[in-house]
């Protein structure tokens, strides 16, 4: 058996440090420093990287970088800082990503890159956790739907959606990278489901729990057979389960699910995709330039990656968005062929986040979380 070299072992905590900088930075200068520092560290030891030329995954992550530039160049009236067009720091962020991501894929995100992504998850958890704690201390119970405590300004002016999606990203990253931290990650996501009435967080928690139950289906079936023979063994679980159901019934969170198919983003997407078909037929994307009044509350975005990419970046951006989604769909299929339930879950939920949110437009922490999920999903499945 060969032992790891001292240089390799010493790089492990350093990789976690770079990952912490990336996650906690929220795609600011600290994130760029973390990505750049880790990439240089890997390029010093290129022999450890997977050999071979560029492949389809490189095209995907480079395409994501180009999509970032197209998004950030769009003059969004809702974001006054964007009216001046693309800035030099934004160009730097995209270029560093386009160097960092292929190197990480060649170092194996689930192998040598695991410590970096653990650090990324920790940095994202610092932001999302601090936001939730601030909300619990400064706002009434379940009183932060729409606006949350802002850890940077100290005011109640942060959107409630982005940190909830970030908590979901932390949970999904740890599902793939380090399950020892799943209990606090589940608690963080549930905190947003309750305090901010974030139905996406509740759905992600439910899917993760179902996937874990599926992996343990054999012992669960054996337990159920035993309960059927001895029903009294089920009594200790009845009281807490009843308490949870009563709490959910009294919670305003369920009211949000009642409007899921008739209002909010579902109706916005219905109108948006009808206009998308018209854009395909006519070659004119101007129908997606504005969102009809009443469909969204706070902005003029469709909250869907392909629709918003067409709105701000034309058919080139739309094609890059579809490439990103297709890559995640194919990744789910590859992980399914390898029998990896959590691999399928993470890839499909990353796709769902892009389908229902706006990480490239306004949510830099959310963008980092979905980029991390993309890299984990694009990793090479192990050979059976």
């Amino acid at each position: 058996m060969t032992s790891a070299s001292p240089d390799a072992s010493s790089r492990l905590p350093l990789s976690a440090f770079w990952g912490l900088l990336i996650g906690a930075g929220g795609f600011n200068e600290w994130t760029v420093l973390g990505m750049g520092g880790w990439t240089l560290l890997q390029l010093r030891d290129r022999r450890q990287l997977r050999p071979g030329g560029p492949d389809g995954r490189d095209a995907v992550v480079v395409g994501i970088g180009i999509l970032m530039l197209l998004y950030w160049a769009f003059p969004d009236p809702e974001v006054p800082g964007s009216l001046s067009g693309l800035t030099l720091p934004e160009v730097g962020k995209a270029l560093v990503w386009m160097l960092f991501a292929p190197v990480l894929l060649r170092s194996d995100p689930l192998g040598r890159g695991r410590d970096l992504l653990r650090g990324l998850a920790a940095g994202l958890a610092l932001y999302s956790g601090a936001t939730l704690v601030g909300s619990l201390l400064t706002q009434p119970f379940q009183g932060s739907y729409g606006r949350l405590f802002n850890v940077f300004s100290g005011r109640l002016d942060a959107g409630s959606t982005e940190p909830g999606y970030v908590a979901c990203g932390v949970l999904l990253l740890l599902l793939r990278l380090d399950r020892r931290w799943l209990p606090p990650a589940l608690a963080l996501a549930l905190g947003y489901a309750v305090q901010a009435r974030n139905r996406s967080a509740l759905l992600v928690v439910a899917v993760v729990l179902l996937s874990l139950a599926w992996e343990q289906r054999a012992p669960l079936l054996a337990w159920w057979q035993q309960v059927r023979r001895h029903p009294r063994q089920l009594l200790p679980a009845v009281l807490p389960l009843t308490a949870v159901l009563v709490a959910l019934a009294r919670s305003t969170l369920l009211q949000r699910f009642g409007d899921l198919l008739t209002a909010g983003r579902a109706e916005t997407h219905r109108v948006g995709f009808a206009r998308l078909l018209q854009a395909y037929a006519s070659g004119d994307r101007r129908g997606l330039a504005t969102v009809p009044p009443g469909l969204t509350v706070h902005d003029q975005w469709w909250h869907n990656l392909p629709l918003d990419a067409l709105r701000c970046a034309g058919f080139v951006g739309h094609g890059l968005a579809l490439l990103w989604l297709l890559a995640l769909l194919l990744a789910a299929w590859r992980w399914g062929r390898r029998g990896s339930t959590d691999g399928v879950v993470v890839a499909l939920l990353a796709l769902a986040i892009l389908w229902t949110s706006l990480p490239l437009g306004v949510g830099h922490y959310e963008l980092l979380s979905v980029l991390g999920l993309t890299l984990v999903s694009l990793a090479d499945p192990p050979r059976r």
Side-chain angles (χ1 to χ4, degrees), residues 119-165:
L120 169 66
L124 294 172
L126 285 176
Y127 159 73
S128 186
T131 301
L132 180 60
V133 170
S135 173
L136 291 170
L137 293 177
T138 60
Q139 297 178 269
F141 178 67
Q142 287 196 320
S144 58
Y145 172 60
R147 289 298 172 187
L148 277 173
F149 177 79
N150 190 329
V151 295
F152 300 108
S153 69
R155 298 189 297 269
L156 300 178
D157 57 2
S160 62
T161 302
E162 182 196 358
Y165 272 124

Side-chain angles (χ1 to χ4, degrees), residues 67 70-71 74-79 82 272 275-276 279 284-292 296 299-319 321 358 361-362:
L67 186 58
L70 295 173
Y71 250 91
F74 179 71
D76 180 14
E78 301 287 337
V79 184
S82 71
R275 295 189 177 191
L276 177 63
D284 186 353
R285 63 186 175 97
R286 286 178 294 180
L288 288 161
T290 58
V291 180
T296 55
D299 54 53
Q300 283 295 304
W301 292 93
W302 295 97
H303 291 263
N304 173 272
L305 182 67
L307 296 179
D308 286 321
L310 184 58
R311 178 200 177 208
C312 69
F315 285 99
V316 172
H318 182 66
L358 190 62
V362 295

Side-chain angles (χ1 to χ4, degrees), residues 72 74-87 90:
W72 295 338
F74 179 71
D76 180 14
E78 301 287 337
V79 184
S82 71
L83 297 178
S84 59
L86 193 64
T87 65
E90 289 171 336

